Amino acid sequence: MGMCFSFQSSITVLGLYFVRRRPLANALASMGLSMGVTLWPLLARYLLETLGWRGAFLIFGGILLHCCVCGALLRPVATNEVPEPKEDPLLPPKIPTRSCLATCVSTIRYHLAFDILRHNMGFCIYVTGVMWMNLGFALPHIFLVPYAMHHGVDDYWAAMLMSIVGFCNIFLRPVAGLLLAGRKSLAAYRKYLFAVAILINGLTNLICAVSADFRVLLGYCLVYSLSMCGVGILVFQVLMDIVPMDRFPSALGLFTILCGMASLISPPLAGLLLDKTNNFSYVFYMSSGFLVSGSLILGVGFYAAEKKKLKQDGQAKMENATSEMTSMHGLASENKGSAKKQPYPESIYMTNV
């Protein structure tokens, strides 16, 4: 519950605080996540060895409680919008009476963005593709360290692999935010860049299936961090581009619910596959398959939706042009008929009083 409340509010307020530099702001804000991924495994191992699991959990709780200070600094955005005029209180409100159940259903439907899911094709494609991607995106974070330890890598160096991924993301995310997500010339192609980043992320997981040598895993972490930073800085920026900002909190809520369901299903499926085969390579094959197919869903879906929209716009323009030609033809025929009825021009005299 705490993770959901803090995550939802921080992403929402970040989208409201920034407009022109929003991609760069997303990249800089995600540096905190990268720093946590870098330091947390090493800190967790040290605390577990020195204080035990009870002392480690107490330290973790104290660290997380300090985030309340950051949350207290978040303020609503001041707007210059003129408040709408209120209705006359003497008149009865023109609101049809509805049952309590119907009111609750409509409220849930609005706040969970089911109306956007029905009427916004881009949002529907985005939610489907990212939900499918999440079935494989979290698997390397869970199984990379046990995979390295299973093949003889020391515990300390195995934990260091995830720290390397986080350390690279600290420097790569701002650079990617400036060069890719923040450029105006690439604004129309962000969703395709997002699909390409997911595709590369899925293909890099095949490196783990080749060998479990520490040098190979180190190279995998470096390449994986490149694709991971692209996914991290674009996942919410693409959602902000697809959905209006006044409905972004509701869309983000539905998005996180569906992605949370995928993240809940994925690790038990991978664990069941590992128990049946006793081979970690199949887990990374599974992760790669979900990521590659998710990128294809996003790329092909966005392309088909744009083609359909362009076709509909072209048909609308042709219909407007046809209606204009028809109206002009009707006016011309009326002018000809009036000219036949009045062979001589009519004289109009005007006087001043």
Side-chain angles (χ1 to χ4, degrees), residues 211-256:
S211 174
D213 185 70
F214 181 76
R215 290 171 295 180
V216 176
L217 295 179
L218 181 61
Y220 161 76
C221 290
L222 295 175
V223 180
Y224 180 81
S225 60
L226 285 171
S227 58
M228 182 182 172
C229 74
V231 175
I233 65 173
L234 289 172
V235 60
F236 298 113
Q237 181 60 44
V238 173
L239 181 60
M240 293 175 187
D241 294 338
I242 294 174
V243 178
M245 280 307 301
D246 58 338
R247 299 303 313 280
F248 176 74
S250 301
L252 181 62
L254 179 61
F255 167 74
T256 50

Side-chain angles (χ1 to χ4, degrees), residues 125-144:
I125 295 169
Y126 176 81
V127 169
T128 304
V130 178
M131 182 180 175
W132 189 259
M133 175 206 75
N134 268 299
L135 290 172
F137 185 71
L139 296 182
H141 300 266
I142 301 172
F143 290 93
L144 178 60

